[in-house]
Amino acid sequence: MKSAYDCVVIGAGPGGGATASITAEGGLSTLLIEREHVPRFHVGESLMPETYWPLQRLQLNEKVKESGWQVKKSVQFVSGNGKESAPFFFRKHDERECADTWQVERSEFDKMLFDRAAELGAECYDETRLSDVMFDESGRAIGVSVRDRDGNVRQINAKVVVDATGQQSFLANKLGLKKVNPDLKKAAIWGYYRDAIRGDGDNEGATIIMQTESKKSWFWFIPLSRGITSIGCVGDNDYLLKGRGPQEQTYQEELAICPGLQSRLKDATQLGGLRTAKEFSYMSTQHAGDGWVLVGDALGFIDPVYSSGVYFALEMGVRAGDAIVEGIRKNDLSGAQLGCWTEDFLEGALWVRKLVHAFYSDEFSIGRFMKEHPEHRSCLTDVLIGRVFHDGARQMFDDMEKSMEKARTAMAS
């Protein structure tokens, strides 16, 4: 590990791995550090189809195809009474290869990105913990202090520091930039099962979103490889985690009121214990500054319901990497340059955010909205696959708001 680099990337998840790959490929001396041993466990296994494009930029699509991970060709919704929607098959929307995606093992997927950054010339170290980010008197980030696997503390100078620390959000917390979304204070309890019943044919690998009878929570159903399925319950933080029993008891209580899931688990075996995450919906109020930039969950996270997290992290990593390479070339490492991509990115991500807020609204039903506005099925599928970096979704959301207002009026009368 040298004492100075053009770019230091903190965190080797999808955002950090993508950023380090792009900067290393661009000829910059790049250090990528990860506090845990690689490979390491991480939740967030379901990819959006648009993940194809940043993976293509990283020249990883062929490797992903050879991985043996479960192919995902659709997404499906199940109401609180167990009624299943027609699956949204991505190939009906787009017949190209990019319509298929995957349900990945995140430990293996993130290691693939870590290894790719190394192949392209980044120096990659796991079990290396960030101690602090250093700033000069003007407020410019000038390097990091890290503790390596042997316990040695090192100070490393850097022209650019990339915070890809995930939901730890190191810089956003240090600088007071992290803002929790007050309308999405959610928590999740999840675990893994063997031999859960999946869909048929092309729907076998579908991510299925299942409402409970109370509509106070919902379950994700994500089929992984080797017969294992990731199954998690999401609800308001206070509802799931306060004033109730142990997490296993809460999970079973919510499962008991989720008819869409009960039949799928009749012959399944739970593997290991449950895990919990809470208040994971937030956004940073500033995304870049002189000598630093945020990517992936360190910048913000919306919600797990539409599986946008990995795609957005990869997309941010590629865009941030390009901005850093361009900034070094122009000798401009201002916040404006390093964050030049964020406005466009956040405008696109807004459509996913709007659909998330609609999902948690009592007045919204995807099935009813499709019956009222079948002309928007293509646009809705665009959002579900992650094709959001254009302005075509605006009309759909105008009509969606009218539909929800109509439902509110009917419920009040």
Side-chain angles (χ1 to χ4, degrees):
M1 195 180 297
K2 299 195 292 281
S3 60
Y5 293 85
D6 292 325
C7 180
V8 172
V9 183
I10 312 156
T19 307
S21 291
I22 297 299
T23 57
E25 185 181 42
L28 307 188
S29 60
T30 300
L31 173 66
L32 172 63
I33 63 170
E34 165 58 41
R35 67 178 179 175
E36 298 181 43
H37 174 73
V38 174
R40 83 282 190 272
F41 170 83
H42 207 286
V43 74
E45 301 101 343
S46 190
L47 305 187
M48 280 182 154
E50 287 293 278
T51 303
Y52 181 93
W53 303 109
L55 288 177
Q56 183 181 64
R57 174 69 186 279
L58 298 170
Q59 299 179 350
L60 286 174
N61 273 323
E62 289 304 315
K63 194 159 190 176
V64 172
K65 290 178 197 173
E66 297 166 1
S67 66
W69 293 320
Q70 172 66 53
V71 177
K72 172 185 172 183
K73 299 185 177 184
S74 57
V75 63
Q76 189 173 16
F77 298 87
V78 181
S79 68
N81 61 12
K83 184 178 180 181
E84 299 185 0
S85 73
F88 287 81
F89 286 107
F90 307 136
R91 286 263 181 173
K92 288 185 178 179
H93 184 63
D94 187 339
E95 295 181 352
R96 294 177 297 167
E97 179 184 61
C98 61
D100 292 343
T101 191
W102 296 272
Q103 313 281 25
V104 302
E105 316 286 342
R106 278 292 302 277
S107 59
E108 299 170 16
F109 183 81
D110 290 6
K111 185 178 187 304
M112 177 187 70
L113 292 163
F114 189 76
D115 291 344
R116 181 57 177 155
E119 288 173 5
L120 291 169
E123 295 182 26
C124 302
Y125 292 83
D126 62 356
E127 298 181 79
T128 301
R129 183 175 291 270
L130 175 70
S131 298
D132 204 0
V133 176
M134 301 181 293
F135 292 83
D136 65 13
E137 295 87 351
S138 70
R140 175 182 296 274
I142 56 173
V144 297
S145 174
V146 304
R147 184 179 297 275
D148 67 21
R149 64 179 61 182
D150 297 320
N152 301 312
V153 176
R154 299 170 177 266
Q155 289 197 347
I156 300 167
N157 295 326
K159 295 178 182 176
V160 179
V161 175
V162 179
D163 183 352
T165 56
Q167 298 200 6
Q168 180 191 5
S169 307
F170 184 92
L171 271 180
N173 281 319
K174 177 183 175 72
L175 301 176
L177 306 175
K178 189 173 183 178
K179 184 178 181 182
V180 174
N181 187 330
D183 299 321
L184 290 176
K185 287 188 175 181
K186 306 295 179 181
I189 306 171
W190 77 94
Y192 296 87
Y193 289 76
R194 186 180 300 280
D195 298 327
I197 297 174
R198 305 181 177 192
D200 298 322
D202 283 348
N203 203 41
E204 177 186 358
T207 291
I208 307 176
I209 304 301
M210 306 181 195
Q211 290 275 12
T212 57
E213 293 171 355
S214 68
K215 291 196 73 174
K216 292 183 178 180
S217 66
W218 61 272
F219 280 83
W220 75 64
F221 183 97
I222 299 174
L224 305 176
S225 58
R226 299 185 283 272
I228 296 172
T229 303
S230 172
I231 300 176
C233 179
V234 179
D236 284 349
N237 182 80
D238 289 355
Y239 173 71
L240 282 186
L241 301 182
K242 293 188 177 180
R244 300 181 71 168
Q247 62 179 14
E248 180 72 41
Q249 177 182 329
T250 300
Y251 186 89
Q252 292 300 326
E253 288 171 354
E254 296 305 303
L255 176 57
I257 56 171
C258 187
L261 186 53
Q262 292 163 21
S263 60
R264 288 178 166 84
L265 295 182
K266 63 179 183 179
D267 298 318
T269 303
Q270 185 175 334
L271 304 175
L274 298 173
R275 298 171 182 263
T276 302
K278 59 182 180 179
E279 293 189 354
F280 40 65
S281 300
Y282 57 87
M283 186 60 63
S284 56
T285 56
Q286 181 181 345
H287 314 114
D290 292 348
W292 62 270
V293 62
L294 312 179
V295 300
D297 289 359
L299 185 148
F301 183 77
I302 301 175
D303 192 85
V305 65
Y306 298 120
S307 305
S308 59
V310 174
Y311 167 49
F312 280 174
L314 288 170
E315 183 69 23
M316 283 188 264
V318 169
R319 293 184 183 213
D322 283 338
I324 293 165
V325 172
E326 181 183 53
I328 293 281
R329 178 178 57 81
K330 299 192 309 186
N331 195 28
D332 177 7
L333 299 178
S334 63
Q337 169 60 35
L338 298 180
C340 63
W341 52 275
T342 57
E343 182 177 356
D344 178 68
F345 174 83
L346 292 170
E347 284 180 2
L350 175 65
W351 304 125
V352 173
R353 184 181 298 277
K354 282 181 174 291
L355 196 59
V356 166
H357 280 280
F359 174 82
Y360 285 114
S361 165
D362 291 337
E363 301 85 23
F364 180 67
S365 160
I366 282 184
R368 186 182 68 241
F369 182 65
M370 285 294 92
K371 287 181 181 179
E372 293 175 351
H373 294 280
E375 73 276 14
H376 290 320
R377 187 176 184 87
S378 177
C379 185
L380 178 60
T381 306
D382 260 351
V383 178
L384 293 176
I385 69 174
R387 194 169 294 166
V388 293
F389 298 108
H390 60 82
D391 198 38
R394 190 173 303 278
Q395 181 60 49
M396 180 184 79
F397 283 100
D398 287 345
D399 289 340
M400 186 178 292
E401 182 54 44
K402 293 174 184 175
S403 173
M404 292 167 64
E405 185 57 40
K406 180 179 176 182
R408 287 189 200 101
T409 302
M411 291 168 67
S413 62

